[in-house]
Amino acid sequence: MSEKTALKLHPGDNVAIVLVNVEAGAPLSPFDIAAQTQIPRGHKAAVCAIREGEDVVKYGQIIGRASTDIAPGAHVHVHNVSMAEFDRDYAYGQHAKPLEPFTAADRATFQGYRRPDGKVGTRNYVGIVTSVNCSATAARLIAREAEKRGLVDKYPNVDGVVPIIHGAGCCIGTDDEAFYKLQRTVWGFATHPNFATVLMLGLGCEANQIPLMLEVYGNPPKEQFRYYTLQAEGGTRKTVEKGLEWLEQALAYANEATRETIPASELTVALQCGGSDGYSGITANPALGHAVDLLVRNGGTAALAETPEIYGAEHLLTGRAQTRDVGEKLVDLIHWWEEYAAKNGSTMNNNPTPGNKAGGLTTILEKSLGAVAKAGTTNLAGVYKYGEKITAKGLVFVDSPGYDPVSITGEVASGCNMVCFTTGRGSCYGNKPAPSIKIASNTPMFDRMNEDMDINCGTIIDGVETIEEAGRRIFDEMLAVASGKRTLSEQLDVGDAEFAPWQTYAQM
Amino acid sequence: MSEKTALKLHPGDNVAIVLVNVEAGAPLSPFDIAAQTQIPRGHKAAVCAIREGEDVVKYGQIIGRASTDIAPGAHVHVHNVSMAEFDRDYAYGQHAKPLEPFTAADRATFQGYRRPDGKVGTRNYVGIVTSVNCSATAARLIAREAEKRGLVDKYPNVDGVVPIIHGAGCCIGTDDEAFYKLQRTVWGFATHPNFATVLMLGLGCEANQIPLMLEVYGNPPKEQFRYYTLQAEGGTRKTVEKGLEWLEQALAYANEATRETIPASELTVALQCGGSDGYSGITANPALGHAVDLLVRNGGTAALAETPEIYGAEHLLTGRAQTRDVGEKLVDLIHWWEEYAAKNGSTMNNNPTPGNKAGGLTTILEKSLGAVAKAGTTNLAGVYKYGEKITAKGLVFVDSPGYDPVSITGEVASGCNMVCFTTGRGSCYGNKPAPSIKIASNTPMFDRMNEDMDINCGTIIDGVETIEEAGRRIFDEMLAVASGKRTLSEQLDVGDAEFAPWQTYAQM
Ligand SMILES: [Ca+2]
Ligand SMILES: [Ca+2]
Ligand SMILES: [Ca+2]
Ligand SMILES: [Ca+2]
Ligand SMILES: [Ca+2]
């Protein structure tokens, strides 16, 4: 059998990705056709005849329409594909499909922490969350002193003490969405199920008042939440001392938590891509998408985010929206982003650039499909603001920038108890308290950064496994990591420095 | 002698601050007058007759105009004071006064570090500066491993290893002022004279490219600057290992630096207030202002910042501008801020609020004078963008928000090698690499937070010393700290978590 030179991403596709530069006449193995012309690596070839006006289908999705008859083996690109007209129609829910859930007997489980309020954690950390930068050092000093004294080692069920610190929290208005965003984010971490218990530290006079959060969200039980302010306690050292006293009790309390068998429906996985390359959309992303389909069929939840990455192709998601209301919420976000970008002198337009086109991306739909591929194929069940608590099961969307740490901070604040992160160029990301599985799009990068990359999906291009096989592997890894298997970023102790709340206010 | 119940802030003032609630007829000691009516604590009393139309003078500055004849001992407030009309006139440089520099023989010196490029440091740190959040953990892991191995202890002349990390650096446009702001800030730290040498760490694919900074600012000598990216080095562990190899050399290099006698003209002091109270404007701020006058008369530099805090009273500074150009730069900033606030749904209007008025603040001029008091009385010699290198000597202005960590990050990036920070409610701020002297406005707070407050100016209200005496004490402390005396925040090891670049871009 000759070497594989082309790859069909979905059974319903009428184009395949060409994996190497091919000359006219070269076989497009494993298909029984030859290239009609020279076709560059990463570009598309027709795997059957496509008549003028017919849909061009990749990822099982329409990416455009044939503007002329296309022969099998022909190069498919801007010269013979035009944008389909349906792309301006949000078609709310018209492409939604019934879910095929696994039967109760087939449903996956993992070993997780069931919290007193019913929420489920995949890790058992103790958190020190700050309302403002002015209390950041006190939080870090408590965690550092705990490390020096070896406190955590005495409590084998506790994963660690995590200071959640940031540069924000004051000199901002307190009555608009920009403020609520920060408030939700800080509070989302303070009540995250991967924390057994949390101490919140403030300065005292900051705009992001702790008592105001308690007023808005309610005051959790004392075993799970306490707060101090530096001004009330008399400064740094006294607060650190008091924090260390709290910590002894907190660690003892957290240590009582034990893992138990939990249905996979309690997993809420943050989806992310960063440092994408030409392979992301055809290997790591669709493989993760398959894992997400498995998760959703198990009753679980996956959160797509990174609103700028779906811009211009939002109808791909509105068409899959469970209800019209869900679809409209997504469109409202899109409009908000247009205004946000414009008033800051930026633009949302991510139409295929000359570089994208040279790489083989023909339409904005194709580009966005690569990003959206990591969300799988199920219906869109909910749309949430940045840091807003996710309440739906299934595939949901959380508004956020594309920038990895800021985006994941919002997803985790929204309740994600695990992260799956695809990358082509390589990432050293990690999160606390949410374990993060990093998935490589190509083998050379996986090999080069093998101490940071948990999973290789370059195997799909290498011909070692199919998208479905890689997806199954990712899903199994989700369950293993949720049950306590430590990711590479956890082994490296990454995650204390990656809390980065999205700041959309004027900093006064 | 009866207890002091009133305080004149400047010899030229025709009003005094009443220090306790007084009844009609009560003596306003040490003045030979009695209160005409009840006057609340913190409000003003006339210390001489002020005729209708005459200026009302506090801090040696006009705060308004008498709207009726005012008798000695009368309560001076909104009922008998109106806003002076000159406040709409920028009067560029019209109130500039010739400086009275100290003679060469009287000039102060300190023990500082003269760097190869001629710049002067007050500390001798080794820095690990990050271009993007994606390399934050690698920077922290290098610093942590150095601590674990006791590396710094081997080099007695080195103050420590400082990771400069943040949440920004990617998914932003790279051709506008918002980006240049970030670039200047990161580069300002990377080349700060309080660092003997710096390693910069990036991920590799971030928008804030390290090679781009080298292109814009030039590549410093290898002994003072190196950079690695995680993608090129093959991930976290390999980069940390390489960073630790670099660190051994860097510490040895840094350890060769020694303190030498340096004129005070090489000091550049960042001015800041945070958590202000009713006393800030009459104790800590004017005392710091006196110290700044001494510094400037020694040929040194002090940077006022916090643009929103001077809004509405910018003519107080334009009138003292050394040149028309300097004054116009300040007014340009004010216009930028109006737009920035408006487009983000905020407002710049900080006219005295009902709370301010109840506290005794009569006009916006009086309010702003309290904040500006910390800048002393000399001419405004330069106006700089956030993080822009300060090149003038004397009193300068650096554009920034009022929020302490974000403001000081800009001041230090602009080249300040020390910080003086006044506070009424209490602050636990510290900075690396710039030592920060914290100055309390009142004795009860100083006593309560005595492990964080370096200097008490509550003494001025307590009748223990004059503004000038307290100012002299602050100036002496500047020289001592510049020479190596460790501030309380340094003893507590505060400053690793306070780097907070101002983000004015749309985060995409
Ligand atoms: Ca443990
Ligand atoms: Ca991303
Ligand atoms: Ca030392
Ligand atoms: Ca203020
Ligand atoms: Ca401030």
Side-chain angles (χ1 to χ4, degrees), chain B residues 91-116:
Chain B
Y92 295 112
Q94 288 177 22
H95 311 298
K97 284 176 279 188
L99 183 69
E100 292 169 21
F102 291 117
T103 60
D106 287 340
R107 290 208 169 192
T109 62
F110 68 102
Q111 297 297 309
Y113 295 97
R114 178 75 70 179
R115 301 298 179 193

Side-chain angles (χ1 to χ4, degrees), chain A residues 137 236-237 403 451-452 498, chain B residues 137 168 236-237 451-452 498:
Chain A
T137 289
T236 307
R237 194 196 54 77
Y403 182 41
E451 291 169 288
D452 293 273
E498 283 73 9
Chain B
T137 289
T236 307
R237 194 196 55 76
E451 292 171 286
D452 293 273
E498 283 74 8

Side-chain angles (χ1 to χ4, degrees), chain A residues 1-14:
Chain A
M1 183 186 156
S2 67
E3 202 192 343
K4 193 173 178 178
T5 55
L7 176 72
K8 211 166 87 165
L9 299 174
H10 187 275
D13 290 359
N14 54 16

Side-chain angles (χ1 to χ4, degrees), chain A residues 133 137 144 167-168 231 234-238 340 343 401-403 405 425-426 428 448 451-452 493 497-498 507-508, chain B residues 133 137 144 167-168 231 234-238 340 343 401-403 405 425-426 428 448 451-452 493 497-498 507-508:
Chain A
N133 181 262
T137 289
R144 189 167 75 171
Q231 286 170 346
T236 307
R237 194 196 54 77
K238 288 173 199 158
Y340 174 60
K343 79 181 177 189
Y403 182 41
R425 302 179 68 172
C428 298
R448 199 168 60 249
E451 291 169 288
D452 293 273
D493 200 21
E498 283 73 9
Q507 179 67 69
M508 305 297 275
Chain B
N133 181 263
T137 289
R144 189 167 77 171
Q231 286 171 345
T236 307
R237 194 196 55 76
K238 288 174 197 157
Y340 173 59
K343 79 182 178 190
Y403 181 41
R425 302 179 67 171
C428 298
R448 200 169 58 246
E451 292 171 286
D452 293 273
D493 202 20
E498 283 74 8
Q507 179 67 68
M508 306 296 276

Side-chain angles (χ1 to χ4, degrees), chain B residues 446-486:
Chain B
F446 177 80
D447 288 343
R448 200 169 58 246
M449 297 185 69
N450 66 340
E451 292 171 286
D452 293 273
M453 292 296 134
D454 297 280
I455 287 185
N456 181 22
C457 285
T459 50
I460 295 164
I461 284 192
D462 301 342
V464 173
E465 63 183 346
T466 64
I467 287 172
E468 289 71 22
E469 285 164 347
R472 179 80 226 180
R473 201 154 50 86
I474 294 171
F475 181 67
D476 289 344
E477 187 72 4
M478 283 183 192
L479 297 175
V481 166
S483 301
K485 179 181 175 183
R486 297 175 77 215

Side-chain angles (χ1 to χ4, degrees), chain B residues 41-59:
Chain B
R41 190 179 75 145
H43 285 231
K44 296 174 291 297
V47 292
C48 57
I50 308 173
R51 277 165 304 180
E52 181 177 343
E54 267 188 357
D55 293 333
V56 177
V57 180
K58 181 186 169 189
Y59 304 109

Side-chain angles (χ1 to χ4, degrees), chain A residues 62 287 297:
Chain A
I62 300 163
R297 292 175 66 196

